[in-house]
Amino acid sequence: MATEHIDLNVKVVEMRDIVKKFGDFVANDGINLTVHKGEIHAILGENGAGKSTLMNQLYGMFPPTSGQILVHGKPVVLDNPQKAIREGIGMVHQHFMLVPPFTVTENIVLGMEPVKGIKLDMAKARQDVKEISERYGLSIDPDAKIEDISVGMQQRVEIRKALYRGAETLILDEPTASLTPQEITELIHIMHSLTADGKSIILITHKLKEIKASADYCTIIRLGKYIDTVKVADVTENDLASLMVGRKVTFSVEKPPMKAGDLVLDVKDLHGVDYRGVEILKGLSIQVHKGEILGIAGIDGNGQTEMVEIITGLRKATGGQVLVNGTDVVNKPPRFGFEHGVSSIPADRQRHGLVLDFSVAENMILQNYGQEPFSKKGILDQKAIGQYTQDAMEKYDIRPRDAVRKPARTLSGGNQQKVIIAREVNNDKDLLIAVNPTRGLDVGAIEYVHKYIIEQRNKGKAVLLVSFELDEIMSLSDRIDVIFDGKISGSMTGDQANEETLGMMMAGGKVQ
Amino acid sequence: MDNFINNLGILIYATLLYTAPLLYAAMGSCFSEVSGVVNIGIEGMMTVGAFTGATVAYFTGNPWLGFVCAGLAGMAFALLHGIATIQFGADQTISGTAINFLAPGVAIVTAKAIFNSSDTVPLDPSSKIPTLFAGVFSSGTPWSNFMKNVFSTYASTYLVFVVLVVVWFVFYKTRFGLRMRACGEHPLACQSLGINVHRTRMICVCLSGFLAGLGGACMTMATSNQFRPTSIVGQGFIAIAAVIFGKFRPQGAMIGCLLFGLCSGLRVVIGSSSLNISVQLLSMIPYVVTVIVLILFVGKSHVPAANGKPFVKTK
Amino acid sequence: MSKLEKILQSAFFRTIISILIGFAVGAIFLLIVNISPAEAYAKLFSSIFSNPKSLSYCVVYATPLIILGLSVAFSFRTGVFNIGAEGQFVVGSMAACVVGILVPAPPIVLPILCIAAAAAAGALWGIIVGFLKVKWGINEVLSMIMFNWIAFYLSNYIADLPIIKNEGNAEATKNVQEAAMILLPKSWIDSLGLCNSASWGILIAAILAVVVYIIIEKTSLGYSLKAVGFNRDAAEYGGINANRSVLIALAISGAMGGIAGATNLLGIGQRIAIFTAQESYGFQGIIAALIGASNPLGVFVGGLFYGAIKYGGSRLNIIGAPSEVVNVIMGTVIFLIAISHIFNFRLRKKKKGGDK
């Protein structure tokens, strides 16, 4: 740990007794935070605990309802980002704030563009960008367009954007969400070189391992309330987890041994293109049997999304076969695959999984609305639909129970996901595909989703799990295939898996 | 052959004459769409511009004053559209439709009040927008006829190309242009950098109304000499089509407008020729060509990512 | 929520407020152009309510607006914006007109043939636009506007063809055969004191309102169309053919646009003129749909309201007031409906969920 850089006499940021209400909902309830010069300070909490809300106030996205913010000991009012920037606060958002068709340089200078007269001075902008890059070893082509560079590179652009604005304190919101283990190591290295230069970093995360690896101090928030600030060196990961969740947590998932049965999904030499028409699947083959969970590990953008879209019929393949119980479903409409045994929990539940403006009941029959008992001779039977939904809500513990006729939009994220799971599991198909099934859910909901996935496997279903969370892949999968550059670059059984080997393979390295 | 040269001159003249109003409006549309606000109210803004220009010029005898007032009248209705869509998050298409209803209604009611007729009184040549090269080319030989035809067009036509260069410069070489384009792609990013998305979009929508108003004025102060309820019949929508065709770039929209101007020019030339083709069918050409052009080009067009989506500031 | 509060927050109440403000804005305009709003509005409403004849005129004016409103409302509910109702109306009218002039058929059969032809023509006009949308991704709003103009000139072209054109000097078609008309029996009209154009059209409009309600709310077809309208990606994921749905929605919408044209022609028009400018029926249908909040019953009422105002407005010339003030009022009304969520009347502070 780089504690030697910390100057405890300089408090760069202090937040005192911050309360933030949205209507009657209290997102932050009396939170305190002190960050010193040269320090990496982690903010730990579950999804929805109020971490991002807290940081958005520090970055001036919205003002606190009450409480005080001090920068270098001086009280400040930060009611827009420009003021925060002026106070030396920079933020790298979890969802990058980059304009995809713009170049790296344009994105970095946007909002603080150098001008010569009335004309943009792009030459100076490029020069400034280059200087910052060299200083912190963040090399990147200043004229590349954002939409053409990798997620890791985009993150570097975001960091440089903050530095260009003269940030002294850098807020990183879940910075490792879509990075490989190797990229994470590099990021931690960059963070340390920044603190060595006297910058301070606030790291928002729910990943304990990264806190242990990088942070000096950690402030824990639970349900909007301040819990504690600890010196990271003095605590274990389990201590942090208990503080975060408020009870003892077990990380292991109960999973009885299973013998894999007949082949259900057989993907052979699959080729496909992405939305730009660039080939992204380059001869991918996987197999999933009854009673097993195959985990697909890989970094976003290596073809896993397109693979799932092809299997579920949302995208055309340019070559290869997808056999489900022996029937080729490639280049057939989604309904064909569904009828031949494919069900799926899509990655984006609000885009693909649910019609948010439909009621929960209407969402429950998304594939079956035209069949008995839900409709007879083209007329919907609302009573049957309502009863079916009520039963499912009891069985899968979807809340609130009286939401049968309410829009799915009104449910929480976890309950929305339960609706999808209820629907897909009720469909009772041989193959269940789950893509990032726990993204954005809190710990309770994650446990629930994991339980159902394992239950499907135990019932003898074939499960294909695609996830960017390595922990999830490792704890659930019977076998793991690593996807890299549109192909499977390596395989192992679930119990052999370890993070280093997987990480290496995910980055395209070969394992001897 | 002489006849051909003569007709060619007329064709170029007519093409430019019909292109100018479209191009003003198309540049207006570019501003609005690129900043993220769909503006189908361009048509209505052209209509009030057409009326205001002809009316002010009639009473003051000063065409340029009329021209500027036309822009301001268009801008007033753009302001309404901006307040509804940007400030209050109204559906942009519905708001635009309302403008297209409201603006001609206001124009005609006012016309009836002032002129006791839905048409304005025809302008004297001195109150119309001047032609720059009147009398420079004499008629006589086929080629001098040709030159005379081509260059007998109005100052507003030359001006539109000057404005185009300025607009292009603003789009791609200035701070405002960069920010405006960013607002249409990723408004949240702009907000996080301290750019006032609402203000930027409001300025762009107002500019779109101003330019649309100028386009309307071209129709009543240059192409013809009075406002009638039928002065603006779909030009606003064609301008929007030209913008989509031109991939939301002013220079691309120019090519689209020239194409549609050419279609209208052909209608004039063929219509006045001895060819016996139905006027109705000829009048259909610009609209049919618009559809065909959209089929051929729209798929490759990059639509600003946040176009049409209201941006709600986080509080 | 108290009952009063419910009323204050209802779409109906907001619409009423919008209409009132619309009239206020119209009044301001009348003042500006030096006409007494009181006198003008008195004339407007007295023309509407003076006798059964004028009331029946209002219904006649309202009929096409209701049907077009239903067409637009149906499109709104299924996620497309049928700004092309104008063109569908025009091609529908023309199709009905051609059949009504040229096809020899007895009464009852002939109007049905005319209406069927109009529905087919309107549906075709909708499907073309739908096809451009699903095949090439062309924004339907834009292509519909183009097809409105194409329909306009096409209608003018056909009306000018010798076989159809009026033998006299009128720039219009011949009249359709008497057998094609859907007027109420003369004896009814006389005994009730209705206008001569009173027709079965309003019954057709009522039937269509019920049909639209059933399709949207009760059928699996409606389910799939709405699913695509709300969230195309999820609908496709659920196995619904989204492109097919868009085509079906536009075909149904277009057919209604065409039927509106036919009822207007067979009720009051009897022939089609060669126009110099669009009649803007389609846009008026959009207003009816917006006033009725895209709900079939609401559209029926909204259409009646608009029809009445339109009829009343047409009588304003008598006192020298411009009838276009109706356009100003109606334009203001939709503009206000578009932003009506800001009229958020609350009796007390209400709970509001966090948006984070």
Side-chain angles (χ1 to χ4, degrees), chain A residues 76-245:
Chain A
V76 291
V77 177
L78 304 174
D79 49 11
N80 70 50
Q82 203 101 62
K83 284 193 186 163
I85 292 166
R86 232 176 286 140
E87 296 294 343
I89 295 162
M91 182 160 179
V92 175
H93 295 82
Q94 182 181 1
H95 304 287
F96 295 153
M97 298 290 179
L98 297 171
V99 183
F102 280 20
T103 66
V104 168
T105 305
E106 284 172 334
N107 266 289
I108 290 172
V109 301
L110 186 63
M112 275 186 70
E113 309 85 349
V115 285
K116 213 192 260 165
I118 57 163
K119 196 169 173 288
L120 279 177
D121 191 349
M122 287 314 284
K124 177 163 189 308
R126 207 171 284 120
Q127 188 57 36
D128 291 350
V129 167
K130 228 174 119 195
E131 263 166 37
I132 296 168
S133 306
E134 280 162 8
R135 183 151 165 213
Y136 295 101
L138 298 155
S139 69
I140 190 170
D141 174 9
D143 296 318
K145 284 194 175 168
I146 295 299
E147 57 199 5
D148 298 332
I149 63 178
S150 71
V151 177
M153 282 296 179
Q154 290 179 13
Q155 187 170 58
R156 292 181 176 198
V157 176
E158 280 282 25
I159 293 173
R160 265 191 297 181
K161 216 163 98 181
L163 296 174
Y164 176 79
R165 284 161 174 73
E168 291 295 315
T169 306
L170 206 56
I171 307 164
L172 304 179
D173 188 358
E174 303 278 2
T176 60
S178 44
L179 300 187
T180 63
Q182 280 76 10
E183 282 178 309
I184 293 171
T185 313
E186 275 174 46
L187 176 68
I188 291 174
H189 186 74
I190 292 170
M191 283 161 61
H192 284 144
S193 79
L194 287 168
T195 50
D197 199 46
K199 311 273 185 203
S200 309
I201 290 174
I202 302 175
L203 174 71
I204 307 177
T205 184
H206 61 266
K207 292 189 185 165
L208 309 170
K209 219 171 285 166
E210 284 155 26
I211 293 178
K212 285 298 284 181
S214 65
D216 307 304
Y217 291 91
C218 177
T219 293
I220 298 108
I221 302 176
R222 192 195 312 147
L223 296 173
K225 290 201 167 61
Y226 175 79
I227 301 299
D228 200 0
T229 299
V230 297
K231 195 159 189 232
V232 173
D234 300 344
V235 292
T236 66
E237 278 183 43
N238 273 336
D239 295 338
L240 287 172
S242 308
L243 285 168
M244 169 169 76
V245 186

Side-chain angles (χ1 to χ4, degrees), chain B residues 236-281:
Chain B
F237 293 112
I238 291 186
I240 296 170
V243 169
I244 294 176
F245 162 78
K247 302 182 183 180
F248 299 90
R249 296 186 188 128
Q251 66 273 32
M254 176 192 74
I255 301 189
C257 291
L258 281 170
L259 185 62
F260 303 131
L262 179 66
C263 293
S264 303
L266 277 173
R267 186 186 65 197
V268 171
V269 172
I270 297 174
S272 64
S273 74
S274 51
L275 291 170
N276 190 15
I277 299 176
S278 155
V279 176
Q280 306 294 352
L281 292 184

Side-chain angles (χ1 to χ4, degrees), chain C residues 117-138:
Chain C
L124 176 71
W125 227 237
I127 288 173
I128 292 172
V129 168
F131 185 75
L132 293 176
K133 182 183 168 83
V134 302
K135 175 88 197 208
W136 288 292
I138 295 172

Side-chain angles (χ1 to χ4, degrees), chain A residues 22-25 52-53 56 314 334-335 344 346 350-352 354-355 357-358 362 365-367 369 375 378-380 423-424, chain C residues 214 217-224 226-228 230-240 350-356:
Chain A
F22 296 104
D24 288 351
F25 174 72
S52 296
T53 306
N56 280 327
L314 292 172
R335 169 134 296 160
S344 74
Q350 304 209 330
R351 185 174 156 210
H352 284 117
L354 295 170
V355 179
D357 295 301
F358 266 1
E362 286 171 315
I365 56 165
L366 191 58
Q367 294 102 343
Y369 68 93
S375 75
I379 302 291
L380 294 172
R423 181 179 72 209
E424 299 302 330
Chain C
I214 290 175
E217 303 294 345
K218 299 289 175 195
T219 65
S220 56
L221 173 68
Y223 177 95
S224 61
K226 278 191 292 182
V228 173
F230 280 133
N231 183 343
R232 187 192 169 101
D233 291 320
E236 284 194 323
Y237 161 84
I240 296 168
K350 264 203 57 205
K351 277 188 199 173
K352 200 176 153 204
D355 56 358
K356 183 70 201 145

